[in-house]
Amino acid sequence: MYGENSALLRAELSSLLKQHRVQLRIGGGGTHTVPVTTTEAERRQIGEQIRRYRQSALVWCQEAVAAVAPRAASNLNPTVANPFRLPAIQHGGLAALGNALNQTVEASTARLPGLEELITPHDLPMVEHWRQIARAAALGEQDFEAGLDYGSLDTRQTQTLIGDVAATVRALIVLDRRYSTIPGWEKLHRSDRLGWAALACALDASLEPPDYAIDMRGWRPKTKIIPGPAKPGLLGVLQAEHNLVIRMQSFPSATNLRLVVDSQRLLSQGLAKLAAKIDPDLQQAWLSRAQTYLDLQHELREVGGQVGTGGLAVVEGANAVSRLRAVRPDAGFDRRVLHAFTTLFTQLDTRIADVIDAGIKRNLYFTRMKMPRIVENSGQMVAPPRERYIPLGETDHTPIVELVRDRLRPTPEPPSPPRGAARSRAELHSAIVHRPNPGGSTLGM
């Protein structure tokens, strides 16, 4: 997730910016009270390793700029360009930063760190900070392929991302100047040009309030089934419901969908009884959910369709109901376990709503209609009515659509930024502009 990776990168950069006397920290000289513990060749190797870690951070910045840059800018009509887009994008500031990053990365002789370097802790604290930066940058590259791009971010989120990149670049430039005393150190290519481009983007990005909800975007590890025997008590019910959410990723047949819907009706009713003494509001919410699934079950009675699977989902739903029935009503319950069901219910309700919508739009679900007919000389005293299956999308399916839209699909809530999102960025900015020497440069690149 972008928030975790970028927060780690900012925290490690802030720590490095607070460290001075670089030679002492890598075992070199600088004061008569601290002995020299490393040779010049060893310090040269340490500098080369730091540059490999720095290269990973630069590549992260390069890919971030490429992800949010408008790829189709040349095809846009300037007269109808979005006037609310980020000034850095409109006036070429982001392009200047991207070009400067490309030249810096290409001019560097340092290669990217290998997997062994990324996963092996270092004895020197300063080098370990750099390893964590490279590790966060390597993990963060996956975020730009999982929803962090120009087409999926709004203006404020784009501003926030560009501001993060600009702050990272400025921090790397400050550290580059500070590490120039390391033997064999290679300075960043045209660091002044890179710094001014980053500073211009940082100023443009600060024109509007940032949107730290971007920290909730990006790549997430795939959720897996919880294997093994049933957990004791409500944990076993939670385990089965968790597995059901994952099993519902495959499209279920109409019969299996009805069985899953029925399991949720029974589960919501049973959990509402357990929550009565602990959280009355939760009880009412689950009773309402049980009624929703009861009404949905009635609407799906005449719906059929053989396309799809869902057998494993039905098994997990039955496991959840049977395990809940085995829980003693007078047993002690952890409030956190009960509230964990709310998250799973939201995910499952959304998935079932998506399944029904897809079944209607793709004509995968059918409804049984009784057709009148005249039968002569059939030899039967009573002629059974003729039945015909018609795609659900071609009939009046308004009740199902309204039920899914108004009651089953949860109301989307705006994502809340993680705690500390603003503080970590403020700490990095403070560390960038901090100067121990009052007479030093105040450019702040």
Side-chain angles (χ1 to χ4, degrees):
M1 190 165 61
Y2 175 78
E4 296 178 358
N5 298 324
S6 62
L8 176 60
L9 194 148
R10 288 192 298 270
E12 299 298 334
L13 284 175
S14 299
S15 298
L16 288 172
L17 289 170
K18 298 174 184 177
Q19 297 179 2
H20 302 275
R21 296 189 176 184
V22 175
Q23 288 291 334
L24 293 179
R25 297 182 183 277
I26 60 175
T31 175
H32 64 281
T33 59
V34 180
V36 177
T37 58
T38 58
T39 64
E40 182 175 347
E42 291 173 336
R43 292 192 292 274
R44 184 183 298 271
Q45 292 180 352
I46 292 173
E48 292 175 353
Q49 188 172 20
I50 292 176
R51 288 197 297 111
R52 289 193 292 271
Y53 290 146
R54 182 185 66 177
Q55 187 76 357
S56 184
L58 286 170
V59 170
W60 178 85
C61 295
Q62 183 186 35
E63 294 192 0
V65 171
V68 298
R71 294 179 177 83
S74 59
N75 298 327
L76 294 178
N77 186 348
T79 61
V80 296
N82 186 353
F84 300 103
R85 259 307 184 184
L86 185 66
I89 294 179
Q90 289 182 343
H91 301 151
L94 185 61
L97 178 59
N99 292 334
L101 280 169
N102 292 337
Q103 294 180 9
T104 301
V105 171
E106 293 174 1
S108 175
T109 60
R111 59 175 177 82
L112 289 173
L115 179 62
E116 191 67 24
E117 278 188 296
L118 291 175
I119 65 176
T120 304
H122 201 280
D123 295 334
L124 293 177
M126 189 179 78
V127 183
E128 176 63 16
H129 285 304
W130 279 105
R131 185 185 74 85
Q132 294 292 344
I133 290 174
R135 177 174 170 269
L139 293 174
E141 292 177 13
Q142 304 177 78
D143 295 328
F144 306 120
E145 298 180 356
L148 257 71
D149 52 36
Y150 179 79
S152 61
L153 299 178
D154 58 26
T155 303
R156 291 179 57 193
Q157 291 175 344
T158 304
Q159 288 176 325
T160 305
L161 179 58
I162 294 177
D164 292 343
V165 173
T168 301
V169 171
R170 296 172 65 202
L172 293 176
I173 293 176
V174 173
L175 294 173
D176 176 62
R177 295 174 176 175
R178 192 176 299 173
Y179 287 19
S180 60
T181 57
I182 297 178
W185 182 258
E186 182 183 81
K187 290 189 175 182
L188 294 174
H189 176 70
R190 298 188 66 180
S191 61
D192 289 343
R193 176 174 177 267
L194 180 63
W196 281 117
L199 183 60
C201 284
L203 293 176
D204 282 339
S206 64
L207 295 177
E208 296 291 338
D211 184 2
Y212 297 137
I214 190 178
D215 288 357
M216 306 301 296
R217 305 284 295 272
W219 177 83
R220 294 175 181 268
K222 186 178 180 180
T223 308
K224 299 180 180 180
I225 295 291
I226 302 178
K231 307 290 183 183
L234 273 181
L235 290 178
V237 184
L238 193 67
Q239 175 188 8
E241 187 72 3
H242 167 85
N243 293 343
L244 171 58
V245 172
I246 299 176
R247 297 298 189 189
M248 278 295 293
Q249 292 177 359
S250 60
F251 189 86
S253 64
T255 301
N256 290 333
L257 176 62
R258 285 197 298 270
L259 293 174
V260 171
V261 166
D262 188 50
S263 72
Q264 295 309 294
R265 175 184 65 84
L266 297 173
L267 188 63
S268 298
Q269 289 176 347
L271 287 174
K273 296 178 181 179
L274 298 181
K277 296 181 180 180
I278 300 177
D279 193 334
D281 294 336
L282 200 60
Q283 178 197 20
Q284 293 300 320
W286 286 347
L287 287 176
S288 176
R289 183 174 187 265
Q291 184 61 45
T292 297
Y293 275 97
L294 177 61
D295 296 340
L296 182 61
Q297 187 182 29
H298 290 163
E299 294 294 337
L300 296 176
R301 283 179 301 179
E302 303 297 330
V303 174
Q306 299 299 321
V307 177
T309 55
L312 295 177
V314 172
V315 172
E316 296 295 350
N319 288 339
V321 174
S322 61
R323 293 174 188 178
L324 179 61
R325 289 173 176 171
V327 176
R328 292 169 43 209
D330 57 346
F333 304 114
D334 190 342
R335 184 184 295 267
R336 294 174 298 179
V337 176
L338 282 177
H339 282 276
F341 281 100
T342 302
T343 302
L344 294 177
F345 284 168
T346 301
Q347 297 175 0
L348 185 59
D349 294 350
T350 302
R351 176 54 186 163
I352 292 178
D354 292 339
V355 164
I356 296 175
D357 286 341
I360 294 175
K361 293 177 181 178
R362 296 161 57 189
N363 290 334
L364 299 178
Y365 290 152
F366 299 83
T367 182
R368 183 171 56 187
M369 303 289 291
K370 294 182 179 180
M371 309 295 294
R373 64 176 178 172
I374 300 177
V375 180
E376 296 181 354
N377 301 324
S378 63
Q380 299 177 348
M381 296 185 63
V382 178
R386 183 177 59 177
E387 293 181 348
R388 182 182 177 186
Y389 285 91
I390 302 175
L392 192 57
E394 298 179 6
T395 63
D396 183 13
H397 55 279
T398 304
I400 295 181
V401 173
E402 292 180 348
L403 194 151
V404 170
R405 180 190 61 197
D406 300 334
R407 296 171 57 186
L408 184 61
R409 191 182 299 277
T411 303
E413 297 181 359
S416 58
R419 185 178 303 176
R423 185 171 65 179
S424 66
R425 290 173 168 88
E427 289 177 352
L428 177 58
H429 176 74
S430 177
I432 291 173
V433 300
H434 169 70
R435 291 292 184 271
N437 181 11
S441 173
T442 59
L443 187 57
M445 293 186 184

